[in-house]
Amino acid sequence: MKVLAVDTSALVATVAVTEDNKLLGEYILNHRKTHSQKLMPMIEEVLESLEIKPQDIDVYAASSGPGSFTGLRIGITTVKALAYALKKPVVSVPTLDALAYNVPVTDSLICPIMDARNDQVFTGIYEWDGKCQSRLADNMAVHISELIKIIKEKNIKTVFVGDAVELHSRLLKNELGDMCMFAPPNLLVQRASSVAFLAYERALSGNLESSFDM
């Protein structure tokens, strides 16, 4: 099953194509929020480099938020238009689920954090259970100090991932000490490959949508 996925929920614009459990190609651009100008050329370049036609894609996927309203609208609208034109199903993947999926299998908790301004973060708490990753609580928007309180109460080593790490890493380290770790730079921001692999899992489970539902 070939999946084409995009994530435009933040500054990063990223496109990936996967086939079953194999990553075929990924394009990540972390330079200014010009998704309306860059996204389609990125999709076209990835497909052309892989010698894949749009109609060869089985499932189209996009991150569904939280994140930048304008960025999400561009990514979702692009995916819906392609899926509609080609009569293909779509899968929406929560942005925080995909960010958490960036972090490899670990015994630690995983906490994606996205900047929501004014020291607020979009966040969630996840863990690996065998080969699957599960969300331990509903995603939320909270002040960074409230999130620190939640992690302290859990008293489990936690890996933080997401664009808000750069903003709050010093505070997190000062408050949480050895309970706090950060994902490496190459895994810190949104990656369309994580959206694609989660979309593939959802598609195998029959969780497909039409371009009108997304």
Side-chain angles (χ1 to χ4, degrees):
M1 180 190 298
K2 290 187 177 69
V3 178
L4 185 146
V6 307
D7 193 321
T8 53
S9 59
L11 179 65
V12 173
T14 173
V15 177
V17 177
T18 59
E19 184 170 13
D20 299 334
N21 288 312
K22 181 180 180 181
L23 174 61
L24 299 182
E26 186 170 26
Y27 199 141
I28 302 172
L29 189 61
N30 190 7
H31 180 67
R32 301 177 184 174
K33 196 186 302 180
T34 54
H35 301 330
S36 59
Q37 298 174 339
K38 302 294 186 182
L39 186 59
M40 275 308 302
M42 290 168 65
I43 292 173
E44 291 169 356
E45 185 170 338
V46 168
L47 290 175
E48 183 178 344
S49 297
L50 293 172
E51 299 179 322
I52 293 174
K53 297 178 181 179
Q55 56 265 35
D56 296 331
I57 299 296
D58 299 298
V59 173
Y60 284 85
S63 62
S64 58
S68 160
F69 174 78
T70 301
L72 288 166
R73 184 183 63 186
I74 291 167
I76 291 171
T77 300
T78 300
V79 162
K80 287 174 66 173
L82 288 166
Y84 175 77
L86 298 164
K87 296 180 174 58
K88 301 289 185 174
V90 297
V91 174
S92 56
V93 176
T95 307
L96 292 168
D97 287 11
L99 264 175
Y101 197 81
N102 285 6
V103 180
V105 176
T106 174
D107 292 332
S108 303
L109 297 179
I110 301 167
C111 184
I113 51 175
M114 296 176 63
D115 181 29
R117 299 185 180 180
N118 299 318
D119 290 332
Q120 302 276 329
V121 291
F122 297 119
T123 188
I125 299 174
Y126 298 75
E127 69 174 359
W128 280 100
D129 180 13
K131 294 182 179 180
C132 299
Q133 195 177 84
S134 59
R135 189 192 303 161
L136 298 183
D138 291 339
N139 290 334
M140 52 193 161
V142 296
H143 194 276
I144 188 65
S145 60
E146 180 64 24
L147 176 61
I148 289 170
K149 186 186 301 183
I150 292 170
I151 299 299
K152 282 183 176 179
E153 289 174 354
K154 290 188 175 296
N155 196 32
I156 300 175
K157 188 168 287 189
T158 302
V159 181
F160 291 89
V161 59
D163 60 12
V165 166
E166 184 177 357
L167 294 173
H168 302 298
S169 59
R170 182 176 296 180
L171 176 63
L172 290 167
K173 203 65 181 175
N174 287 342
E175 291 290 331
L176 297 173
D178 292 340
M179 282 198 301
C180 170
M181 298 183 295
F182 304 115
N186 62 310
L187 301 176
L188 204 58
V189 297
Q190 285 82 350
R191 296 194 60 160
S193 54
S194 291
V195 177
F197 287 126
L198 286 174
Y200 173 62
E201 291 179 5
R202 285 161 167 73
L204 288 180
S205 300
N207 296 322
L208 296 169
E209 307 162 50
S210 78
S211 56
F212 297 103
D213 297 329
M214 192 179 198

